[in-house]
Amino acid sequence: MSGKKTEKIVKAGLYVVVISILGWAYLSGAFQFIIDNPKDLLYLTGQHLKLVGISAALAIATAIPLGILITRPKFKKLDWIVLNFANIGQTVPSLAILALVMSYFGLGWQTAIFALWFNSLLPILRNTVAGIENVNPQIIDAGKGMGMTSKQIFFKLELPNALYAIMAGIRTSVVINVGTGALAFLIGGGGLGDLIFTGISLYDTGIMLSGAVPVILLAVLLDVLLGKLEKIIVPRGLQRTLEAA
């Protein structure tokens, strides 16, 4: 089975799962709560997007330069320290990170953003490093043979060929952040977690799903949008090579 067929089957399966969840949510009364309280839903969705957007932007701005830095020969020795620091954000449970950050910075959305930023560093950082280090050495040698400087080799050869891996890390990080962002409610960060945990407290499945379903849809939508962006910024020649592989 070719890679394209496998991808289509996986996507179709995901769509079936999403549609099934939506059907179950409808039968559980989630949509009725959403219809009755559209302003609340829009407000909380805006808060959730704010949390995810700011934390993801900060993670991208931090992880990509760090990943590039530790692939340079002068700073190669720092890769173990940097990667293991980022590993903490993935190995420590999200609730524990929120609790630790809250104990130092208090309650509020700024604290939630800091915790989400820390939690989402690793996928972007690791993929940046892997993408750059896995560039075919023959391509680098060809650039040197053409008289390219180190700067030209990086911007014209290494970075473009690493973009696919970097974008994969960003997509993974953002999707994780959408789900983890629901926990921000526990430390006063707002977001759709408000509905989820209110529903749990009241034993009301409809209210809980009115928060959970939008979280799922946001994760799927953002992944699709980032996938479209990936096709725009990743060089077409590299896309064809990856599809052929």
Side-chain angles (χ1 to χ4, degrees):
M1 187 180 291
S2 67
K4 278 189 174 182
K5 288 184 179 179
T6 303
E7 185 180 352
K8 287 180 179 179
I9 291 172
V10 171
K11 283 184 177 180
L14 288 173
Y15 289 142
V16 170
V17 170
V18 171
I19 292 170
S20 300
I21 291 172
L22 289 174
W24 177 55
Y26 176 77
L27 294 174
S28 300
F31 292 134
Q32 188 59 47
F33 182 86
I34 291 172
I35 292 170
D36 293 340
N37 303 274
K39 291 183 180 179
D40 291 343
L41 179 66
L42 288 174
Y43 177 73
L44 293 173
T45 301
Q47 283 189 328
H48 206 92
L49 285 172
K50 180 181 179 181
L51 290 170
V52 173
I54 295 176
S55 60
L58 291 173
I60 291 168
T62 305
I64 292 179
L66 263 181
I68 293 170
L69 182 69
I70 62 177
T71 58
R72 302 303 91 190
K74 290 182 180 180
F75 300 97
K76 188 68 178 174
K77 293 180 180 179
L78 297 175
D79 63 349
W80 186 88
I81 298 172
V82 174
L83 287 172
N84 278 281
F85 174 77
N87 270 329
I88 297 173
Q90 291 292 306
T91 54
V92 178
S94 301
L95 278 173
I97 293 176
L98 287 170
L100 287 170
V101 174
M102 180 185 67
S103 64
Y104 286 100
F105 297 104
L107 300 173
W109 67 271
Q110 298 95 331
T111 303
I113 285 174
F114 183 86
L116 290 173
W117 162 79
F118 187 59
N119 188 63
S120 58
L121 282 175
L122 184 62
I124 304 173
L125 179 61
R126 189 174 291 280
N127 277 43
T128 300
V129 173
I132 293 173
E133 289 185 341
N134 288 328
V135 175
N136 193 329
Q138 294 180 350
I139 296 176
I140 307 300
D141 291 338
K144 290 178 180 177
M146 294 172 64
M148 286 186 174
T149 64
S150 298
K151 187 176 180 180
Q152 289 174 324
I153 288 173
F154 173 73
F155 284 105
K156 293 185 178 181
L157 299 177
E158 289 184 288
L159 188 58
N161 280 277
L163 277 176
Y164 187 84
I166 293 172
M167 284 301 302
I170 292 172
R171 290 173 69 177
T172 302
S173 178
V174 169
V175 170
I176 290 173
N177 247 10
V178 172
T180 308
L183 299 175
F185 166 74
L186 298 175
I187 59 171
L192 291 165
D194 188 338
L195 295 175
I196 295 172
F197 288 101
T198 299
I200 292 172
S201 300
L202 298 175
Y203 299 98
D204 190 318
T205 305
I207 296 177
M208 182 188 70
L209 289 177
S210 68
V213 170
V215 168
I216 295 170
L217 293 178
L218 276 179
V220 173
L221 178 61
L222 289 175
D223 186 58
V224 170
L225 291 175
L226 287 171
K228 299 293 183 183
L229 178 63
E230 179 183 291
K231 290 184 178 181
I232 294 172
I233 67 174
V234 175
R236 292 184 180 180
L238 181 60
Q239 290 181 35
R240 288 194 292 269
T241 301
L242 290 168
E243 289 174 358

